[in-house]
Amino acid sequence: MKKQEPGGEKPDDLVITSAEFVTSSVRPEQYPRDELPEVAFAGRSNVGKSALINCLIQRKKLVRTSRTPGRTQLINFFRINGSFLFVDLPGYGYAKVPQSLRATWGPMIETYLDLRGNLRGIVQIMDLRHPPTPDDISLWFWLKEKKIRAVPILTKADKLSRAKWSPLAQAAARVLGISSADFIIFSAQTREGREELLDKIKELIGN
Ligand code: GDP
């Protein structure tokens, strides 16, 4: 975890100054045509994906939460600072039975991940309180197989005492075959992990 400077940003920090909704898409011909670098956000429904994106861009409602029907089943594109895109992917289901990525999350996402040349990486959001779900695990290994860079997040950290963070991160890391230090522990409520995630995004988009 990175220490935050008291009083604000450092000169090399990624500072988000503007965020605007561009479009919603289902099919590739509906994706925005610009070739700006893109970072997509994925996670199961209700994991806190909208809250995380809104926390990054410091807007309460630009990205609608799961309770608002309509946009949640589409791929939503947002232009950030006029220079890169955030892509909000539809949340995948609560899986009780292990199923393939294709069956649970749909060809729409697979097509996006396969075809989108300007995609620089995925922010994969999981819940710190629960072990990665079968869907989380299949997405993680699927991205690895496709050689798509993924930043693993454990969110809703504010719901647990700090003492619990490390053992839970270690258990989740074992499941995904990574080191617990690879996780960014996040909270949309306290903004824990926000600067660390912005640093990673900056690295992905290559500014
Ligand atoms: P989405 O379906 O993944 O977009 O999930 P939302 O962002 O809509 O969040 C689902 C619920 O979890 C909402 O009630 C949020 O207020 C809550 N939530 C999301 N992130 C956090 C967090 O970091 N801390 C806490 N305490 N609640 C959160």
Side-chain angles (χ1 to χ4, degrees):
M1 274 157 271
K2 186 182 156 185
K3 279 228 167 69
Q4 208 168 327
E5 300 280 308
E9 293 99 7
K10 294 171 297 317
D12 63 339
D13 279 349
L14 171 62
V15 179
I16 295 187
T17 51
S18 72
E20 50 182 326
F21 174 71
V22 181
T23 190
S24 294
S25 308
V26 177
R27 291 184 300 280
E29 59 272 25
Q30 301 165 323
Y31 300 162
R33 283 172 201 282
D34 43 17
E35 294 293 310
L36 295 173
E38 212 160 270
V39 173
F41 297 78
R44 71 163 171 78
S45 310
N46 220 34
V47 72
K49 177 165 53 68
S50 309
L52 178 143
I53 300 172
N54 285 328
C55 173
L56 291 181
I57 63 188
Q58 312 203 70
R59 294 267 286 274
K60 283 211 174 71
K61 284 193 192 140
L62 185 66
V63 180
R64 297 183 190 187
T65 62
S66 46
R67 273 169 231 172
T68 314
R71 276 208 203 152
T72 57
Q73 291 313 307
L74 303 169
I75 302 175
N76 297 304
F77 295 82
F78 300 87
R79 191 180 296 109
I80 311 296
N81 294 356
S83 63
F84 59 94
L85 298 177
F86 276 177
V87 183
D88 183 16
L89 298 173
Y92 40 88
Y94 297 93
K96 299 222 161 47
V97 182
Q99 285 173 297
S100 74
L101 180 67
R102 183 183 292 274
T104 55
W105 208 28
M108 174 167 69
I109 309 305
E110 209 173 315
T111 302
Y112 167 80
L113 294 172
D114 268 338
L115 294 184
R116 196 67 172 154
N118 48 330
L119 175 67
R120 297 295 175 80
I122 301 279
V123 175
Q124 186 179 342
I125 305 154
M126 289 158 278
D127 191 322
L128 177 61
R129 299 169 301 166
H130 310 295
T133 67
D135 283 341
D136 293 334
I137 297 165
S138 35
L139 175 62
W140 179 261
F141 287 103
W142 192 86
L143 292 171
K144 198 172 158 188
E145 200 182 298
K146 295 269 174 188
K147 300 195 167 26
I148 297 173
R149 290 178 73 185
V151 179
I153 307 288
L154 295 172
T155 193
K156 301 195 183 178
D158 61 278
K159 290 186 179 255
L160 294 168
S161 65
R162 275 181 186 260
K164 299 206 171 108
W165 292 3
S166 172
L168 286 167
Q170 280 170 31
R174 276 194 294 275
V175 175
L176 300 185
I178 58 176
S179 152
S180 62
D182 296 334
F183 279 116
I184 296 178
I185 296 185
F186 193 90
S187 162
Q189 194 149 305
T190 66
R191 295 155 64 103
E192 175 80 35
R194 182 177 180 275
E195 291 305 319
E196 201 178 343
L197 177 52
L198 286 171
D199 282 352
K200 282 278 182 210
I201 290 171
K202 185 178 169 188
E203 212 181 292
L204 289 176
I205 59 180
N207 290 356

